[in-house]
Structures are given as structure tokens and as C-alpha cells.
């Protein structure tokens, strides 16, 4: 039995909540715009308060990453602000939200920073609703938010942040896929930036039938390997013949980093999101730990410092940092 | 205990064997050149004898289908002959094969007829080896045979014939995928022919990024749906935005047939192989049986008679018709 509360047994709704959302590896090489996975590493944090005004207000953006102070404070220009506006509109909420963001994911890194702010804000705001929604129900709001940054409603970053692990995402739905627990990723983020716009521009020219067929085969092998926990199939499938050949030249050091990963037994390696971060997958945490310094050294040879993160591929989804008081 | 035989307990090898291979639906719409499934319906039969000469000889090609008498008798120009030559060469066999084919799968129908002759011959010949090979080991010989007809080593027809049900195939390997037993197909073959060459020619121009991403999403939804036995995911994925829009105009009646299938609850419908046959998938045999006449009527409206086949998607693989005597 719970103690009775004034309004018919329902606990009063909290006025403030905080949540984090993890960094992510968008595309996973073989799944451009449709696959992504989260990593346990850098994260963004959102603090959200309910306010009486029916509006979304961004009060501050801080955090340890360079450039955080230059992010837009106008709600409709900010991924997190736009996501909360979308939620308020869709639910016709009789109140609004005030939002403070702490950026922990480097800007322009290819680690899904704009998506993380948006998902952290939604998870925190959701806890402040009279009747919180499922993660799946938050997905359309996250896509609306993400579209502010990328101009398109693609869920390869927001979906895994909402659901955890690896997701398959379309504009209509997000699905959590099975992930073998032994799979580990190394993600190396170099001290260089690559504008999403520039990274997208090289993809415009069309693709030949042979590459499209090879891509289909790789994607199918990869998904079958994931489902069966079969490392050989994942290795056969984790190759990007469409996007990587066009984007890799924009990332000084990429080839050396990839080579280092493969020489250390990686199942595959490619560009994280729009780059310049590079990810590789391994059959164990130990193998990933051994490869990480060699991958950093690849960027060092090209003149760039880099940070390496080692994480299960089945990384943790976004969560509340402090549950609202009951 | 078995009766002892002269050569150290090993039974004498038979001198003749016959096998059938079923028709197939190449591509399955969303898996151009990489996915295919067999159906229980028309089939090709191969009768194979061991001969002392180290050669492959085609003695006759018959059967009920139009044009069977015009197929090449020179072994290296015939898919079945070439496949057996490939087997003889790879295994350095000290003997050869004489082959008779009975064609049951209509030529130029998009139902994998050339692949079926090749697989039936291999399965029969395999039974005549002193040490028969696994189905997987026959796959490279089947690809060699198939390449005579198509000019390329693609396994979307030979792989499901060797392994049964649905397969994922690449030039390197063939993998049998899980198939829900309730899935049923209708395949409608109209009295019209479409040259593979013409059907391939329209695919040459390259594909835009948007279509490639949509294709990836569909393929991933489809494979996830198959694996989970989830009809809604299969329905979301069973769509071809790449090939069907280019090939459909070559098939009079296609749109009416597809519409009839969807109106009868199909999970999806598209072109079988290079066409002109059309397939659709349903959630039960009863639903497939109900749709089949409406799909035939779609071709009739365009002035073409058509035959309809209803089969489990998990159709039967190629098998020996008469086991060699022990």
C-alpha cells in the first residue's frame, strides 16, 4: 500500500528533473542513416523545470567542451529546445519547460552531440509530465529536434540514445536490435572538426548498382551476424563501400587509424557519424583495450591528439540522473 | 551391422542418379542479387550418369516448357553443363558425367529456370561422388554454372535451391535464413517473356542517396521481421524502391497484379527475379489462396493468360528423386 495523496492517489508531479544521454556511433559504417549504437563515455546532461508559461526557454548552455557557449539559445534553433517544443505542441501541454544544458560530447565530433542534448532534454521533461510517455513515443519529438541540426529526420543517433544498444531507425519507427554482450567498440575522437555540411556534401553524387548490391549484402550479413552472435558474419558485413570512400579523404589520419584497428583484430572500422571520430568493433573488451592506443597513434602520426573511448556496443541508454521526488 | 562389401566396407558408388530443383523467387524485391527463396511448384529434373571419359556431355534436353529444345547442348554453354565441369575440375575427378535435363520451369519467366537445371545436375552428380560434398561446398560450382546465363556470379536463385527456404547469398557464401512457417507466397507467371538482358539494362543508371538509404532501411526492417516472425516489420520492409520502378514498365499488367495482391492483404509484392513473374507474400496459405485468382485477373486485364502458384515461403530445396542403390 502507498500513502494516499490529495489528488485521487496520484503523486504530485515534480517541478524539476535532470537526465543524461550518451554519445553514439551513427551509421555504424554499413547502416548509413539507419543504424547507430550508444557508447558508455562522454554524455550530455539536461536540467529541465516545468514553468507556468506555455513556452520552452533555454536558460543556459554550459559544459566542458569547446564552443558550447556558441550554441543557439533560441529554443526553435536548438535541437533540445525544438524537441521540447514538439512535445508541448503534440500533447497540448498546459505548461512549458525551462532548460539548462551541460555539454559533455564534443561539438562536430561525429559522436551525436546534438542528438544527445535533445534526448537528454526529452527524458528529463518526460519525467515531469502528469503521465510520462514510453521511449518509443518520445522518438518523433527527438527526430523533430535532430532535424534542426541536420536538416533531416534521421534517427541513427537519437534512437539508440532512447532505447540503448544498437537500433534500426526510420522516420516512422525505432527498433532495438539484439546485441551480443561480448562486442566492444573503440571510438577515437581526434582534435579536428569536420562540418556536418561538408561531410554531407560529398555524398550527393549517385551510386552505381555494383556498390549498392555490395552494400545490401554487407548490411544483410551484418544484421544476420548480430542476430546470431556470429563474429565471422559481422566481420564479413562491417564494411562501408558507399560513404566511407567519399568521406575518408576529409579526415587526416583515417587510413592509419583504421589499419591499426584491423591489425589489432577489429571486426571492422569506419567513420562515426559524419566524422571525424573513427570507431572499430572487437570481440572482447580486452581486444578493444589493446587496440585503443594504436588507433590513437594513427591520428598522432597525422599530427592530431586524440581521445579513445572503450565501451560495450550494448551501451547504456539515456536515463534520469535524479528521479523526481515522489 | 551392415553386410560387408569388397572395398573395405564402403558401398560401391552408383552410376546414375536423378534430382529435382525447385523454382525460385530471386531478389524478393528488397534484396536485389542477395536474397531469394524457393517455391513448391514447377521444377527442373536432371538425370546424371558417371562415365569413364573425363568430360561432361549433355545427352538431351526435354521437358514440357516452350523453347527447351533450343537450349545449348554444348556443356560449357549450358548452366548445368558448366556447373558439372566446374565440379570435375575443382575435384580433379578421374571420371566424367553424362547429363539429361527435363525442363519444367518456363524459360525467361523470372523463376530461376537456368539456376534450377544447374542445381539439379549438381545434386544428382554429387550423389555419384565417392565422397559426396555438403550443400555449401556445391555452391561455388552452382555460381560458376549460373554465370553462363547471367554473366555474373550471383546466388539469389541457386542458393535457396541448394539450402531451401530463404537465403542470403554473396559470391563468397550462402546462408539459410530463418523463415516463419506461416509465410506463404503467390507467384504468378504470365504468358509473356522478358529477356534477362533487357531487364538488366534498365538498372545501369546510378541511384540517388535517398533511394539507397530507403532501400537500406527496408532491407533491415525485412530481415529483422523475418528473424522475429513479425508480419508488421516484414510489411514495412518488403518494398523495392531501386529496381521495381525501373523494371515494372517492362511488364504489362504489373501494376494491376500488385494492386490486386495488396488489396487482398499481401505483406508486399514485387517482381520475381528479372520478371515477368510477380510474387506476393501473405500471412497464411488461406490468404494466399484467396489472392491468387485476383492476381491472375490483373494479368488477364492486360491481355495475358497467367498461371499462379501458391507455396510456403519456406519451400523445399533440391533433392534426389531416386537415391542411388547402396
Amino acid at each position: 500500500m502507498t500513502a494516499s495523496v490529495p489528488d485521487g492517489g496520484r503523486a504530485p508531479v515534480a517541478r524539476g528533473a535532470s537526465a543524461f544521454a550518451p554519445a553514439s556511433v551513427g551509421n555504424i559504417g554499413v547502416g548509413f542513416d539507419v543504424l547507430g549504437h550508444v557508447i558508455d563515455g562522454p554524455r550530455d546532461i539536461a536540467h529541465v523545470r516545468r514553468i507556468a508559461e506555455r513556452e520552452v526557454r533555454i536558460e543556459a548552455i554550459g559544459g566542458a567542451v569547446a564552443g558550447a557557449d556558441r550554441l543557439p539559445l533560441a529554443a526553435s534553433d536548438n535541437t533540445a529546445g525544438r524537441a521540447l517544443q514538439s512535445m508541448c505542441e503534440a500533447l497540448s501541454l498546459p505548461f512549458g519547460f525551462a532548460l539548462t544544458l551541460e555539454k559533455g560530447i564534443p561539438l562536430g565530433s561525429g559522436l551525436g552531440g546534438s542528438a544527445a542534448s535533445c534526448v537528454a532534454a526529452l527524458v528529463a521533461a518526460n519525467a515531469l509530465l502528469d503521465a510520462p510517455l514510453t521511449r518509443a513515443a518520445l522518438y518523433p519529438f527527438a527526430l523533430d529536434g535532430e532535424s534542426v541540426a541536420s536538416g533531416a529526420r534521421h534517427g541513427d543517433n537519437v534512437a539508440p540514445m532512447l532505447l540503448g544498444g544498437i537500433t534500426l531507425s526510420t522516420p516512422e519507427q525505432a527498433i532495438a536490435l539484439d546485441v551480443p554482450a561480448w562486442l566492444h567498440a573503440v571510438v577515437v575522437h581526434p582534435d579536428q572538426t569536420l562540418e556536418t555540411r561538408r561531410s554531407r556534401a560529398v555524398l550527393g553524387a549517385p551510386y552505381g548498382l555494383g556498390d549498392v548490391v555490395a552494400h545490401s549484402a554487407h548490411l544483410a550479413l551484418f544484421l544476420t551476424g548480430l542476430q546470431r552472435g556470429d563474429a565471422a558474419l559481422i566481420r564479413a558485413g562491417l564494411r562501408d563501400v558507399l560513404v566511407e570512400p567519399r568521406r575518408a579523404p576529409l579526415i587526416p589520419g583515417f587510413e592509419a587509424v583504421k589499419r591499426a584497428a584491423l591489425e589489432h583484430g577489429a571486426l571492422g572500422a569506419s567513420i562515426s557519424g559524419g566524422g571525424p571520430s573513427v570507431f572499430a568493433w572487437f570481440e572482447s573488451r580486452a581486444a578493444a583495450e589493446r587496440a585503443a592506443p594504436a588507433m590513437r597513434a594513427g591520428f598522432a602520426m597525422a599530427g592530431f591528439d586524440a581521445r579513445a573511448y572503450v565501451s560495450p556496443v550494448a551501451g547504456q541508454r539515456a536515463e534520469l540522473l535524479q528521479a523526481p521526488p515522489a
Side-chain angles (χ1 to χ4, degrees), chain A:
Chain A
M1 299 293 288
T2 55
S4 78
V5 285
D7 65 339
R10 209 143 119 197
V13 169
R15 300 296 156 191
S18 300
F20 78 89
S24 61
V25 173
N27 304 335
I28 319 184
V30 71
F32 182 73
D33 268 4
V34 299
L35 296 178
H37 77 84
V38 280
I39 60 170
D40 300 337
R43 43 172 66 181
D44 279 9
I45 293 171
H47 308 282
V48 180
R49 285 184 303 116
R50 256 171 80 154
I51 57 177
E53 298 80 7
R54 297 179 64 175
E55 65 177 29
V56 174
R57 194 190 301 153
I58 302 182
E59 298 189 316
I61 304 179
V65 305
D69 53 336
R70 292 196 308 272
L71 289 171
L73 284 167
S76 59
D77 296 339
N78 181 295
T79 60
R82 183 71 197 90
L84 294 191
Q85 286 178 332
S86 174
M87 174 191 257
C88 290
E89 288 157 21
L91 305 179
S92 301
L93 295 181
F95 50 85
F97 295 110
L99 171 64
T100 299
L101 292 171
E102 275 181 57
K103 298 293 295 179
I105 302 173
L107 306 188
S109 61
L111 296 175
S114 60
S117 293
C118 154
V119 169
L122 282 170
V123 169
N126 190 45
L128 305 178
L129 298 183
D130 297 353
L133 305 174
T134 63
R135 290 295 171 102
L138 298 179
Y139 181 61
F141 310 142
L143 288 180
D144 285 344
E146 176 72 326
S147 70
V148 173
S150 69
R153 289 169 59 84
H154 53 78
D156 54 327
N157 290 299
V158 296
M161 292 173 188
L162 282 169
L163 302 179
I166 300 180
T167 54
L168 160 60
S169 55
T170 71
E172 290 76 34
Q173 60 184 325
I175 299 164
L177 301 179
D178 297 330
V179 190
W182 43 261
L183 267 181
H184 278 71
V186 175
V187 182
V188 185
H189 170 228
D191 273 345
Q192 50 176 272
T193 52
L194 178 55
E195 265 184 71
T196 304
R197 194 167 311 210
R198 188 156 165 248
S199 184
R200 281 252 158 194
V202 297
L203 305 181
Y207 299 82
L209 182 62
D211 283 344
V212 173
V213 170
H215 170 71
S216 296
H218 294 152
L219 178 59
L221 290 166
F222 178 80
L223 292 171
T224 305
L226 269 187
Q227 178 237 318
R228 299 186 179 180
D230 182 323
L233 289 181
I234 295 171
R235 187 186 293 274
L238 188 43
R239 303 175 192 191
D240 176 12
V241 298
L242 293 180
V243 171
E244 183 185 305
R246 300 184 183 199
R247 279 186 171 167
L250 305 179
I251 304 172
F254 172 80
E255 295 300 343
V257 177
K258 179 173 178 174
R259 195 180 323 117
L262 295 175
E263 285 171 2
H264 283 75
L267 297 174
S270 191
I271 302 163
S272 177
S277 293
V278 176
F279 78 94
W281 277 15
F282 297 86
E283 291 184 65
S284 68
R285 176 176 284 276
E289 300 275 11
R290 281 193 297 273
M295 291 174 68
R296 288 183 62 213
F299 273 127
M301 286 192 303
F304 294 93
D305 280 340
R307 288 194 64 168
Y309 305 97
V310 173
S311 167
V313 170
Q316 199 188 353
R317 69 179 193 173
E319 294 289 0
L320 288 176
L321 282 173
Q322 53 188 57

